[in-house]
C-alpha cells in the first residue's frame, strides 16, 4: 500500500476591516509542523468590500 507524501488543504483567514485571504492547495507533510503566513491587507477607508477575497494558489510540490 502506497501512502501519499503529503496532503493538500485550503487555508483561509478573515478579520473585520481587512480583506479575506485564502491560500489553496497548501501541502501538509506528516510529522512536520506547517506554517502559512498571511500579510493582512486593510480594506480601503469607507469601503464595503467585505466579500472580496485575495486568493493565493500554491503550485509546489508536484506529485
Amino acid at each position: 500500500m502506497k501512502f501519499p507524501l503529503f496532503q493538500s488543504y485550503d487555508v483561509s483567514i478573515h478579520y473585520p476591516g481587512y480583506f479575506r485571504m485564502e491560500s489553496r492547495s497548501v501541502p501538509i507533510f506528516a510529522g512536520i509542523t506547517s506554517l502559512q503566513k498571511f500579510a493582512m491587507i486593510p480594506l480601503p477607508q469607507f469601503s464595503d468590500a467585505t466579500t472580496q477575497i485575495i486568493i493565493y494558489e500554491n503550485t509546489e510540490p508536484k506529485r
Side-chain angles (χ1 to χ4, degrees):
M1 180 176 208
K2 190 173 184 179
F3 293 99
L5 297 175
F6 64 94
Q7 294 290 322
S8 294
Y9 291 88
D10 294 343
V11 179
S12 63
I13 187 170
H14 57 92
Y15 191 78
Y18 290 82
F19 282 96
R20 290 178 175 268
M21 305 191 84
E22 184 173 304
S23 188
R24 294 185 178 163
S25 301
V26 176
I28 304 295
F29 297 87
I32 298 175
T33 300
S34 298
L35 300 175
Q36 182 65 47
K37 293 184 179 185
F38 286 94
M40 297 298 292
I41 301 172
L43 289 170
Q45 190 173 14
F46 306 113
S47 172
D48 189 27
T50 57
T51 60
Q52 292 185 1
I53 301 174
I54 298 172
I55 299 173
Y56 297 97
E57 293 284 344
N58 291 287
T59 58
E60 300 183 273
K62 303 282 186 208
R63 289 188 188 216

